Amino acid sequence: MLETDSPLDSSFTDGLLFTGVTASEVEFQKEAQDALQQRHRWTMFSRQQEFERDNAQGPHLYYDGAIWQVLRIYDDYTGSFMAALAPYSLTRPAFQTLNLLGSRYQALGIAVPARTPFTDSQPLQGLRFAVKDAYRLRGLKTSLCNAAYLDMSSPAEKTATIVQNTLDAGARIVGMTKLSSMIGREEPTEAVDYHAPFNPRGDGYQSPAGSSSGSAAAVAAYDWLDFAIGTDTTGSARRPALVNGVFQMRPSYDAASLAGIVPVFTPWDAPALFARDVKILKRVVSTWPNQETSLACTRSHKSPLIIYPLEYFPLENTHQMRLIDAFLADLANVLGAHIRKFSIASLWEETRPDVAGGQSVQDYLSNTFVNANFHDYYYNSTFEFRTTYEERYRKTPYVIPFIKWKWDLGKSVTRAQRDEAMHRLEVYKQWFLRFAMKQDENEAFLIMPISNVAVNYRDIQPAPVTRPTGFDPLILSPILGAPDVVVPIGEYEYDSRVSGRREFLPVSVDVVGLPGSDLHLIDTIQNCLETLKRPTVVRTGSRLFE
């Protein structure tokens, strides 16, 4: 398999090397000898036994009695990677970083193996991927793009389950990607310890969003990278997927292991997958389920229903809305589904749970985001890091202002307030699944915006943060524990003050399924796109489509 982005070329087929034996120990029949002479210019034998399964993929160099894997070095010109990694080895499961510089100043060199598969039995054979630096990799420290956190981190003793599953399925890891500091909200002008990745879309100077910024930007920029793994708690993958113009999958709660992922707020934390090809989503996610959890992949016999909450639509960008409404109509047509446009607040008033008293849905959820999420982030997720650093250095660790603000709010929340918030979120979840999505009667799909598509230059200071509420659209799928897929559906044209010409921003929509419908949701999206001849693959670079 000769690829334009591979180190493999035809010269690597000139010879044939037999390992573990000498020439005197091998006897070839005449037919075999003739075949070897016709297909190869030379044949060699080596006593070397350590020819591992990993190293059997792609081209190799036989030198001085040893076999060396040949890799191709690419520049990380978008600054998406935190570290490049040496090829993973089954016999040496501890990872190692590669201290390589690219040809561009300050760019890392990423070592990329050939796509040549080892065996047809591996579902992810030949695919290359990167992982957000919030996953534990055996033998490596974790940084969370915060210098103090990296300083306090110890080499991991075990690789995160999701990453290990992906490796065991045949994919090849090439590096760790950057993220917003401490898995928080961080725009490029707020990045202090490490420079924010560059979003390759549009004029190349738009914000990459976060927190899984590096994972999304790398997939959008590099043909030699097939997918990347990030995380999503309150939009950490969906926002980067939108602005970097790639497909994204967030699985149902508990459908994929969180073991080895640095937590933010465990009830909402989820791994997330970025890819340019919708078909790769299913290939990869299929390797992720917990042993005790099965991802549903069969179509139900219930009537399809598309949910369109009026609190979140329409958006300010009218062109974006036309693209979303066109996709909505196409999805309904393919599924034969009814579109239910309704007000969540009005439905709540009609069917309000008794425990909510007379409160509106907005009032009922108003403090739940901070009281649950921020409490756990302060007292659970970052407690050990903060206290250990203070004990060792007799000072507080540096964190960006957003994290300090989040800590200050979380510190003020009592355990009782946190537990009440969790109770209210569970009440809202059960109410929404029953009355809004009608899960007992329908095969429901919830259409959600991610954000209004607008120019957001990376050199602009962001607006001050505001106190979030439990009615925020980005936390609805986490509250429900439901899977969602971000689908690129078009582009928005704008006049760039950077390039001085017309450029294009990605436009995407978020489709949320019922909890446990993960693979079926991907199948539904893929079938819709293929049936209507909509793009199932996006390009790298400034434009999504030709």
Side-chain angles (χ1 to χ4, degrees), residues 24-41:
S24 61
E25 296 173 305
V26 179
E27 181 178 352
F28 293 102
Q29 295 182 354
K30 185 177 185 306
E31 292 83 355
Q33 289 179 334
D34 292 342
L36 289 174
Q37 292 173 358
Q38 291 174 5
R39 297 177 184 178
H40 305 287
R41 294 173 55 190

Side-chain angles (χ1 to χ4, degrees), residues 185-186 190 374 401-403 405-406 409 462-468:
R185 193 210 79 165
E186 180 185 63
E190 300 172 301
F374 286 22
F402 173 81
I403 299 300
W405 172 78
K406 189 174 180 179
L409 285 178
V465 293
T466 57
R467 185 184 178 98

Side-chain angles (χ1 to χ4, degrees), residues 11 35 41 96 98 110 116 119 191 201 204 206 209 237 248 256-257 284 304 334 359 402 441 471 495 503 520 539:
S11 65
R41 294 173 55 190
Q96 293 178 314
L98 287 178
I110 308 300
T116 310
T119 171
R201 304 304 189 186
Q206 299 298 303
Q248 179 264 331
S257 174
V284 177
V334 170
Q359 289 183 296
F402 173 81
E441 307 167 30
F471 204 62
D495 290 312
E503 302 282 4
H520 173 53
R539 299 166 56 190

Side-chain angles (χ1 to χ4, degrees), residues 89-106:
S89 168
L90 291 176
T91 58
R92 298 186 303 276
F95 289 90
Q96 293 178 314
T97 58
L98 287 178
N99 298 318
L100 294 176
L101 289 178
S103 60
R104 301 190 184 200
Y105 293 166
Q106 293 191 330

Side-chain angles (χ1 to χ4, degrees), residues 265 268 348 354-357 359 363-373 375-376 413-428:
F265 178 52
W268 293 352
W348 177 271
D354 292 339
V355 294
Q359 289 183 296
D363 289 341
Y364 188 68
L365 297 175
S366 62
N367 293 317
T368 54
F369 192 129
V370 169
N371 288 358
N373 183 312
H375 172 280
D376 281 17
V413 179
T414 67
R415 180 69 190 192
Q417 290 173 319
R418 184 265 186 196
D419 292 344
E420 173 62 20
M422 292 301 297
H423 170 70
R424 292 190 177 206
L425 290 167
E426 181 63 23
V427 169
Y428 182 63

Side-chain angles (χ1 to χ4, degrees), residues 6 21 24 33 53 64 79 81 98 125 181 237 268 276-277 284 290 328 341 346 353 422 434 489 492 512 527-528:
S6 172
V21 294
S24 61
Q33 289 179 334
R53 188 187 78 176
D64 196 24
F81 283 81
L98 287 178
Q125 58 181 5
S181 183
W268 293 352
R276 292 183 304 278
D277 187 338
V284 177
N290 280 330
L328 178 66
K341 296 185 177 183
S346 297
M422 292 301 297
R434 178 183 176 187
I489 57 174
Y492 169 63
V512 182
N527 179 58
C528 176

Side-chain angles (χ1 to χ4, degrees), residues 130-132 135 162 212 215 227-233 235-238 241 247-251 256 258 261 269-275 281 284-285 288 484:
V131 61
K132 182 177 182 177
Y135 286 79
I162 286 294
S212 301
S215 296
F227 65 93
I229 301 173
T231 64
D232 188 286
T233 304
S236 291
R238 286 162 286 161
F247 290 94
Q248 179 264 331
M249 167 67 183
R250 172 195 163 103
L258 298 178
I261 303 176
D269 287 346
L273 174 67
F274 300 95
L281 295 183
V284 177
V285 173
W288 282 6
D484 65 55

